[in-house]
Structure formats: C-alpha cells, structure tokens
Amino acid sequence: MVDAATKKLIKSISIDDTSSIKSAMAAIDAGGIGLALLVNTKHKTFAGLVTDGDIRRALLGGAGLSSPAASIPRPNATISQSETSTSEIASLFSKAIRIIPILNNNNQVVDLAMMESRLRLPIAEPVIGEKELSYVTEAILGGWVSSAGSFITRFEKLFAEYCGSNYAIATSSGTTALHLALEALNITTNDEVIVPSFSFISTANAVCYTGAQPIFVDSEQESWNIDPELIEESITPATKAIIAVHIYGHPAKMDAIRNIASKNDLIVIEDAAEAHGALYKGHRVGNLGDVGCFSFYGNKTVTTGEGGMIVTDNPDLAEKIRILRDHGMSPEKKYWHIVLGYNYRMTNLQAALGVAQMEKIDSLLAAKERISLQYSKALRNVPGINLPQDNDWAVRSTWLYTITINAKAFGKNRDELMEFLKSHEIDARPAFPSIHKQPIYNTGQKLDVAEELSNTGLSLPSSVNLLDTDVDRVCTAIKAFHEN
Ligand SMILES: *Cc1c(COP(=O)(O)O)cnc(C)c1O
C-alpha cells in the first residue's frame, strides 16, 4: 500500500539507465533524497541506483558530466522485495544505507523504505505484513467473516501446538479469556482469588466478573512477579485460585506457586497476556498451571487486533469453556442453552491475522530480544537506571522493555524522563499503577515493591520493527537528559 507521495517521488528520481551523470544529478536534485534510480525504460525494471556521494567521487576521479551514470564505480545497491517483512528490511539499514528500494516480482521499484521517516517511536506497534493481508483477504473473499471458519481452527491448533497443550480456545480478548477460564473453573461469589497487585487491571477485574474477590499480593524485587513467599499468608478458607501473571514477559516462579497451590488445594491460572513464547525452565508458559490465558491486543507480541486464547490440557474444562464462549449453548442441540454463557468468540478475520502472526512468531521474538539486548547494553552504566533482571531459569519474551528510575541517582524522576522522551517523539509509558491503589479497589494495603515499581517503572519503545538507530536514539536521549 504505497502512498501517492512515494509513487510521485519514485517517478521523479527514476531515470533511464543510459542517462548521463548530469541527468542523474538533476533527478537527485528533484527528489531531494540523495539518490537516483536507474531504470530500464523499455521494461520499467530496476537497473541500479546512484547516490550523490557516488557522483561526487566519480567527478573527483575525472568523470565528465556527460559520461553515463551507470558506468561510475559504486557499491552494489541494497534492495529488498515487497514480501520482505519490515523488520528484515529494517535490519538492512546502516549509516551508509538509509533508503532501500523495494522491488516487486517483476523487478520494478514499487516502494522506498526510508530510515528517516521514522520520527515518532511508538511504544509497541503491530507489524502487519503481506501474509496477514493475504490471509485476511482470503477470509473475506471466502465469506467466512464471523466466528465460524477455517482460520479459527487453524489458529487454535497452531497455538495449542506452540504452547505444548492439548487444547486452545480462541476468545474475543485476553480479558474475556481470563473471565471464561475462571467461570469454567467454577470460581464464584464469596470465593477469593490471589492475584499480584502489579499487573494490568484485567487480572483483577476478571475475578470480579465472577462475583469472587481478588486478593492482592506484592511482587518480588527481582522479576516483578507475584512473590510466592507472600502468597501463603493471604490464603483463607475462601481462597480458590492463584493467578500468576508473567509480567512484561518474565515467567513467574511457577514451581513455588504450584507447590503452594497443591498444598492448599488451589487452582493455578496463568495470565500470560504479556509472555507469548517465554520459557520457564525450558517450558513454554501457558501450560504450566491448570489453564493459561493470552491476549492478542494490538500492542501485544502477537496480535489479532483484539483477541485472546485459553490453553489447557483438561478436555472437560476445554469443552466447558467452548460452551460458555458460545452463549452457553448445548453442543448437541441448537439454540438450547444449558448454562448462562457469553458471546466471547473470536472472528475468523482476527484468526486469519493470528495464523499469519503465529507463522512468524520466532522472528517476532528474535526482534524483541535484539531490541532488549541493545537497550541493556547501552543503558547498563547509566546511573539511576535499573535494567530488567532475568532469572537464569527463565527466557523472557520481552513485551515492553521496562526499566526503573532511581530519581536520586539519575537526577530526575520517572515522570520527568517520560515527558522529556515524549517531547522527542519517543513514546515511553509508565509501568502499571498497582491495582490495589486503583479507585475501583483501593484496599488500603501497603505493598512496597508493587508501589515502587508503579512509581518508578518506565516502558521504552519496543516494537519489533525498531531499528538499531531507533534504539540508539532512545538511549542517547536518556543519557543526554541524565547529563544535563
Ligand atoms: C493485556 C493484558 C490483559 C488483557 O488483555 P486484553 O486482550 O487487552 O483484554 C490481561 N492481563 C495482562 C497482564 C495484560 O497485559
């Protein structure tokens, strides 16, 4: 989907491949992006590119204005294909290569990938490529736009396999996934469910939807996840379940949590909304408790726009979740409702997106890891910046790269840094405010670690299509703000 301005630009910098250096200079001047494209006019195919630097060197080397532009010595052109993903194209950029012509299958230039065009750095933008477009188009053309259709089954199957679980049930969001899981596990009024306070609001809200009460527990300093040492003191005769959240993609201490759960006869639910593909002691998260829930919201690591998934090994639970998801309708008898259910289904269009995303999940995770390593390396020695800590038994799936700011050592507080970054078109976000402090809960508890994280945590741009130069820009801005 190339915009009209880019089409016009391509036209203005394209010259016949037999043109002179002088014509190339005129085209470079007309386009204003420092290069001209050599095109075989007869076939309209790409024949190379010349930059203003190439021409300067050629002229200094004795070439004349009328010598053919194609004959001057220059490096091989870096080009890419239209089906190449944004992140792959991004990896080709460097100090010397800031513009990359994108060719179609007929070897014609159809787009220009430009490094400089990325002024605003969003927190986490989805990368929707040709495959997503083609699957969604297939779903639309096939007429299956609602919640029946082959992409739903394909997405559920792919996701179950990925998590190593027997069943996966797609839902309309991560929040509805949590709600359905809790309902299917018979969590209800007067029950209590233990949740970390340091999480996104849904973790607690889903508990309330069932009539049960969320009981907030503090986090541990290291991974920011629920502190297993503090769980037992919160257990009462009403406690039915523990929700373990893998916050920002770092797995919670599942062995300890499972031990407490089995000792006290509690259910374990994973809220893996931020942790697609994270490993706990070599095992993918999602299938480490009784049931696992994921989110595919637009800024999550895998996206379907809005959407969620429940994974489990338990066939009865899976069946119950499917019934609850579909208005509580009997699988045997149409329009016969055996329980109070919901419409929490995912559409086939969303699942089409999801299948395309799952087919490239390895590259999405690799990009997140590359970004996270680059941040950690660049920010390691900045006073007052605390980097995310990984346990050695964990493989984090970085959703948002999140640091904490020690205001004293850094010289400014978190909010000041955030505002500074915003003024530089860098979308940094505060860590989640602790749920026990939110107006709708406000329990009056004092949970030190959670509150500290909420006050000092800052998520940095973490989109998979970030370039090295983008991450550089963020780190340079942070350092500059500290130094001034
Ligand atoms: C995003 C998120 C959710 C909710 O997912 P939605 O798809 O937005 O409903 C739940 N829990 C956590 C920890 C999340 O980050």
Side-chain angles (χ1 to χ4, degrees), residues 173-176 178 199-200 202-203 245 247 271 273-274 295-297 300 306-307 399 432:
S173 74
T175 308
T176 55
L178 283 166
S199 180
F200 180 61
S202 299
T203 313
V245 182
I247 203 79
D271 180 345
E274 305 176 1
S295 164
F296 306 119
Y297 179 64
K300 293 284 158 72
E306 295 275 2
W399 169 47
F432 300 120

Side-chain angles (χ1 to χ4, degrees), residues 169-177 180 294-297 304-310 325 342-347 350:
I169 305 109
T171 61
S172 54
S173 74
T175 308
T176 55
L180 275 188
F294 290 83
S295 164
F296 306 119
Y297 179 64
T304 60
E306 295 275 2
M309 190 74 81
I310 305 172
R325 176 182 68 170
Y342 306 90
N343 175 1
Y344 281 175
R345 296 174 307 228
M346 174 181 274
T347 68
Q350 291 166 306

